[in-house]
Amino acid sequence: MEVPFLDLKTPHREIWPEVLPVLEDAFKNAAFIGGPQVAGFEKEFAEFCGMEHCASVNSGTDALHLAFRALGIGPGDEVITVPHTFIATTEAISLAGAKPVFVDIEPKTCTIDPGKIEAAITPQTKGIVPVHLYGQCADMDPILDIAKKRKLAVIEDAAQAHGATYKGRLAGSMGHAGAFSFYPGKNLGAAGEGGAVVATDKAVVDRVRQLRDHGQAQKYYHDVEGVNARMDALQAIVLRPKLKRLSDWNKARARAAEYYNKRFAGSQRIGVVHKPEHNFHIYHLYVVFVDNRDTVATELGKRGIGTGLHYPLPLHLQKAYASMGHKQGDFPVTERVASRLLSLPMFPTITDEQLAHVADSLLEIAGQ
Ligand SMILES: Cc1ncc(COP(=O)(O)O)c(C=O)c1O
């Protein structure tokens, strides 16, 4: 039996009849950048996040980068985040002109360890970026406490967490800004690139709007240098019908994860990412920990099962960050997690038979 790692085709078949007439209209009117579809999506996505203000952009990377700039983070500043994330988190810090500073993760949830943040704060620290990894929120209360006490901005990297909650609060709504990605493989994915920034403070979102459009609030009058990071209408047209279905899709993923959790609960050899009771986890990724991970992945592949690695080489050990001077052993929790993690097939339309095939196979290969 084939179990792909991800199924991007089925959701598109479902939304296609809704998308088609709107798409035709956009082509007839040649309305490709901004416009009512983008404005409509921004309003609906803000509502989905329980927020009043949202600025769409053209990627999650620019959502983070422009959120930093909108909050006044720039050259000479340090921003704390984790080495266990996609490189976009730290690229965005560098794009804003600031310097990423790493703090290790907490081993059970794989999100930032709040107990290690204070030690990384210097007079240059301006912000903290908790990454809501795999679809569940970092432990936000202690992070927000530290940030308040030390007067730091909190920018949530919610690229993998659209609709996740922490103690009833939605991802992206807890800090000074929340940044989302609509890369096609995300729980809410565009037909191309896309992203968004949400914030409680309207001024922050207005600033992102200006920065995404060459620093202009009025055409050809540029208060600052910005970038071209506008969302195009075609992405909004695809995202709007998907957003209506997102809560159901997230619940379907959570049900699939519950099945995996039950099957792996008694295993001594298969670890799973812990989900604290207070989190609603949207399972962008379902990650297990096994010894001999690469062999296990190969064996699963022979049985038709797709897997992924998120992420195999921690950022502090990447060539791109060699100049930071880190070495093996600097962030031991991240390093151990990275050597044993394996992402299993996870998508809303995964069938009971497919789930059973994955669980049976993994238990057989990795051991009970
Ligand atoms: C944790 C995290 N942050 C940031 C990003 C960047 O988003 P994008 O690919 O839309 O630029 C991604 C996704 O790729 C991500 O997974």
Side-chain angles (χ1 to χ4, degrees), residues 335-348:
E335 289 165 24
R336 176 158 170 77
V337 160
S339 68
R340 300 184 75 237
L341 54 78
L342 184 65
S343 306
L344 299 184
M346 172 53 74
F347 47 92

Side-chain angles (χ1 to χ4, degrees), residues 159-202:
Q160 303 187 358
H162 328 69
T165 63
Y166 170 84
K167 301 183 182 175
R169 287 173 280 165
L170 279 152
S173 73
M174 293 173 271
H176 297 86
F180 292 85
S181 162
F182 307 125
Y183 180 76
K186 297 289 193 275
N187 289 32
L188 179 63
E193 306 282 355
V197 178
V198 297
T200 308
D201 184 355
K202 183 173 179 295

Side-chain angles (χ1 to χ4, degrees), residues 59-61 64 85-86 88-89 131 157 159-160 181 183 186 194 311:
S59 70
T61 309
L64 284 164
T85 178
F86 182 55
T89 313
V131 181
D157 184 338
Q160 303 187 358
S181 162
Y183 180 76
K186 297 289 193 275
Y311 299 90

Side-chain angles (χ1 to χ4, degrees), residues 68-98:
F68 297 140
R69 285 185 62 185
L71 286 161
I73 292 171
D77 298 335
E78 292 178 0
V79 178
I80 290 171
T81 193
V82 285
H84 185 55
T85 178
F86 182 55
I87 193 170
T89 313
T90 45
E91 278 176 331
I93 296 170
S94 305
L95 273 169

Side-chain angles (χ1 to χ4, degrees), residues 30 114 117 119 153 182 266 281 304:
I117 294 176
F182 307 125
H281 190 326

